[in-house]
Amino acid sequence: MPTAMPDVANHSCATTEGVLDWVGMSNIEVPLMLAVAGEAPRQVSAHVEAFVNLKDPKAKGIHMSRLYLLLDDLSRESTLSHASLCDLLDGFITSHEDLSNQAFVKFDFDLHLRRKALITEKQGWKAYPVTVTGQVVDNNLSVELAVKVPYSSTCPCSAALARQLIQEAFVAKFAGQQQISSELVVDWLGTTQGIVATPHSQRSVAEIKVKLNHKVTEFPIVALIDAIEDALKTPVQAAVKRADEQEFARLNGQNLMFCEDAARRLKHALNQLSEFDDFWLRVNHYESLHAHDAVAVTAKGLEGGYRA
């Protein structure tokens, strides 16, 4: 008859007693089918954190393998949706009866979307970092969706200074001439001497966190990304031809933005969306003029909700 293997977690007591807020595993690599609102489920490769609390001060530890196996069942047999996420958290707690009454799980992955060029019919892939987080604390369930969306920001101050230099160059070029043909001006504007200065712009990133309400069954990731890009008007591009690059330049010129402008645009857009009970946002303009970044942070402003 085989010898029973020791079970330290079940049969040993803590050498130093005390409750712990969270115990579990981080950086678990798991392939998943993801329920994306308005689309067929997508396969993603996620890194996962899984935790429960340890409420018994004398218990040696939790059963980490039970968390892993529940996560593995989700990966093999189901699709990650709002409902299956809730079931997973419930499984974390029920598998730790007398040890835990709170649970937490976080999925980090890239969602690859085909994005059309601005003018031409070219398309290319863009990868958007996404985080889905669920937790049960004091019998209250919360599910959070977070995305990072890159865009271009052109400085309004720099644009005004560039326009002034172009005006001064125009005066210097045509000083003393009583009449100037439109053809001559057009030709001159097409030269480096005509556009003597350009404003600085930089790649920027909007980080958005939203609290999903209980009406949501599939994750509205694409709708959230679209709302962010529509509000900002200058999303970074994938495949481009010259016509697309020219349109990108036009959009930047017509959407000059300080970080404050970008944050206010996003706050207004998010306030129009009904799927989210709360939101938090941060815009990061990775300055090309300065060695530091320009940042704006804000939240919806609910009492007891996200804080900036």
Side-chain angles (χ1 to χ4, degrees):
M1 185 173 181
T3 304
M5 291 183 286
D7 188 348
V8 174
N10 271 332
H11 301 124
S12 298
C13 291
T15 54
T16 302
E17 294 184 7
V19 299
L20 296 172
D21 295 320
W22 296 117
V23 184
M25 296 169 289
S26 179
N27 207 33
I28 310 167
E29 298 180 12
V30 178
L32 292 166
M33 296 303 294
L34 177 71
V36 180
E39 299 188 7
R42 289 172 170 264
Q43 185 166 27
V44 297
S45 180
H47 287 79
V48 185
E49 290 187 345
F51 295 97
V52 291
N53 67 326
L54 185 54
K55 66 176 185 176
D56 183 349
K58 296 183 179 181
K60 185 70 172 176
I62 69 163
H63 307 284
M64 293 193 186
S65 62
R66 297 179 186 177
L67 303 182
Y68 183 92
L69 292 173
L70 287 166
L71 186 61
D72 188 62
D73 288 343
L74 172 66
S75 171
R76 292 182 300 105
E77 300 174 0
S78 186
T79 296
L80 179 60
S81 64
H82 192 284
S84 65
L85 179 60
C86 297
D87 290 342
L88 179 68
L89 292 168
D90 182 66
F92 284 1
I93 294 173
T94 56
S95 68
H96 284 76
E97 188 177 6
D98 299 328
L99 294 179
S100 307
N101 59 4
Q102 300 182 163
F104 173 94
V105 67
K106 183 176 76 168
F107 300 85
D108 289 310
F109 53 89
D110 282 347
L111 185 66
H112 288 78
L113 299 179
R114 294 290 288 175
R115 302 308 253 179
K116 182 183 176 300
L118 294 169
I119 298 294
T120 68
E121 295 302 315
K122 302 299 179 184
Q123 291 191 6
W125 289 105
K126 285 176 64 178
Y128 296 88
V130 178
T131 300
V132 174
T133 305
Q135 61 179 332
V136 174
V137 175
D138 298 330
N139 293 318
N140 293 317
L141 167 72
S142 65
V143 179
E144 178 185 278
L145 171 63
V147 298
K148 292 182 180 180
V149 178
Y151 63 101
S152 175
S153 60
T154 301
C155 175
C157 180
S158 179
L161 295 171
R163 290 194 299 269
Q164 183 184 51
L165 289 174
I166 294 168
Q167 289 172 323
E168 292 173 354
F170 181 89
V171 171
K173 172 66 176 177
F174 299 107
Q177 298 187 37
Q178 297 299 315
Q179 292 186 334
I180 309 169
S181 71
S182 60
E183 292 83 359
L184 182 61
V185 174
V186 169
D187 289 342
W188 179 79
L189 287 173
T191 67
T192 303
Q193 293 73 32
I195 306 300
V196 69
T198 58
H200 77 82
S201 60
Q202 52 274 321
R203 187 180 301 174
S204 306
V205 173
E207 302 177 34
I208 311 291
K209 292 192 296 186
V210 295
K211 194 75 61 82
L212 301 184
N213 61 43
H214 297 301
K215 298 176 184 177
V216 173
T217 56
E218 299 173 323
F219 299 109
I221 303 173
V222 178
L224 178 58
I225 292 170
D226 287 344
I228 294 167
E229 293 187 337
D230 289 345
L232 294 169
K233 306 296 185 186
T234 55
V236 300
Q237 300 296 299
V240 294
K241 302 293 285 183
R242 281 178 295 174
D244 306 306
E245 187 168 357
Q246 186 180 62
E247 176 64 5
F248 187 69
R250 188 191 70 80
L251 288 170
N252 273 266
Q254 297 302 307
N255 291 278
L256 305 172
M257 285 183 285
F258 290 133
C259 62
E260 296 93 330
D261 298 309
R264 286 170 175 147
R265 285 190 182 194
L266 290 172
K267 187 172 186 177
H268 175 75
L270 291 169
N271 272 320
Q272 313 310 307
L273 301 178
S274 62
E275 301 97 324
F276 314 129
D277 290 334
D278 198 2
F279 64 78
W280 172 97
L281 69 91
R282 172 179 171 137
V283 295
N284 306 271
H285 288 191
Y286 302 126
E287 290 274 345
S288 59
L289 173 64
H290 304 290
H292 54 264
D293 304 329
V295 177
V297 184
T298 191
K300 186 176 180 68
L302 298 177
E303 184 177 353
Y306 286 126
R307 300 289 298 274

